[in-house]
Amino acid sequence: MKEWLKRTKANIILVALLTMILGLVLILWPTSSTMFICLLSGWLLLLGGVLSIILYFSAPQTGPNAGLFLGLVVSALGLWTVIRPGTVVQFLSVLFGIILLIHGFLNVQDSIELKRSAYADWWVYLLFAVITITLGIFVIWAPLASASAMAIISGASLLFDGITDLIFVFRASKVIRKFDSYTNSYTI
């Protein structure tokens, strides 16, 4: 159980740090980073689609296979992304908002679990969850025309989300250590 908790803690810390780094990159270089992410995604989709098409035609087997269709659709999506990156950049802001909403809802669940575990400061994490959800809603529906402004807001939201995850994991670790010391002191 302890090994699982250590791995889980390490995973949460890694994801939180990566979230914070992505947030900082979006804040410091909003236009460049969103266009880079968009173009990279487009080229990867295009490459993956073309490879699917090649694999479809090079396979000796016949029968039902969606490889050609999927390859064409993915290639078209990748090409559209490379040709029209600005449209996709706007979509990325909405995607970040959705990710924040999902993470905020998961954080609400975590705060409820903390309350059920009789953790006194569970409400602090619930407050962080509500702020994360609010930021997610703001990122999705904010009437900001500039993709750069949306990238900065998305970056700030991701930075906040990463910080609150780190706070959670360190507080949860503290509770687990207290619980371990409590149960170890009463072991027969």
Side-chain angles (χ1 to χ4, degrees):
M1 178 72 166
K2 278 192 175 196
E3 282 303 313
W4 179 82
L5 287 173
K6 285 181 183 180
R7 283 193 314 269
T8 302
K9 178 181 174 182
N11 287 338
I12 291 172
I13 291 171
L14 177 64
V15 169
L17 291 174
L18 291 175
T19 301
M20 292 167 58
I21 290 169
L22 179 58
L24 283 173
V25 167
L26 287 171
I27 290 169
L28 297 174
W29 303 286
T31 304
S32 301
S33 59
T34 53
M35 291 302 274
F36 173 77
I37 291 169
C38 181
L39 289 171
L40 178 65
S41 300
W43 284 111
L44 289 173
L45 286 170
L46 185 59
L47 177 65
V50 168
L51 286 174
S52 266
I53 294 167
I54 291 169
L55 288 173
Y56 174 81
F57 284 113
S58 65
Q61 302 168 351
T62 59
N65 185 343
L68 179 61
F69 173 75
L70 290 175
L72 291 170
V73 169
V74 170
S75 295
L77 183 60
L79 186 60
W80 177 69
T81 302
V82 169
I83 292 171
R84 306 270 313 199
T87 303
V88 179
V89 166
Q90 291 174 347
F91 171 76
L92 287 176
S93 293
V94 173
L95 181 63
F96 284 134
I98 291 169
I99 290 169
L100 285 170
L101 279 177
I102 291 168
H103 208 150
F105 292 139
L106 290 171
N107 290 348
V108 168
Q109 179 179 331
D110 290 341
S111 68
I112 292 168
E113 293 299 323
L114 286 174
K115 182 179 182 185
R116 287 180 179 167
S117 300
Y119 183 64
D121 294 330
W122 65 270
W123 61 271
V124 173
Y125 201 64
L126 178 63
L127 178 64
F128 290 155
V130 169
I131 293 170
T132 301
I133 291 168
T134 304
L135 290 171
I137 291 169
F138 181 71
V139 167
I140 292 171
W141 284 291
L144 299 173
S146 169
S148 293
M150 289 300 290
I152 292 169
I153 292 169
S154 297
S157 301
L158 288 169
L159 184 62
F160 176 81
D161 185 46
I163 291 169
T164 58
D165 283 349
L166 286 178
I167 291 170
F168 168 75
V169 77
F170 290 120
R171 286 187 176 240
S173 295
K174 183 178 176 183
V175 168
I176 291 169
R177 280 192 304 273
K178 274 186 177 180
F179 182 75
D180 279 348
S181 68
Y182 177 76
T183 56
N184 289 338
S185 64
Y186 290 100
T187 304
I188 298 175

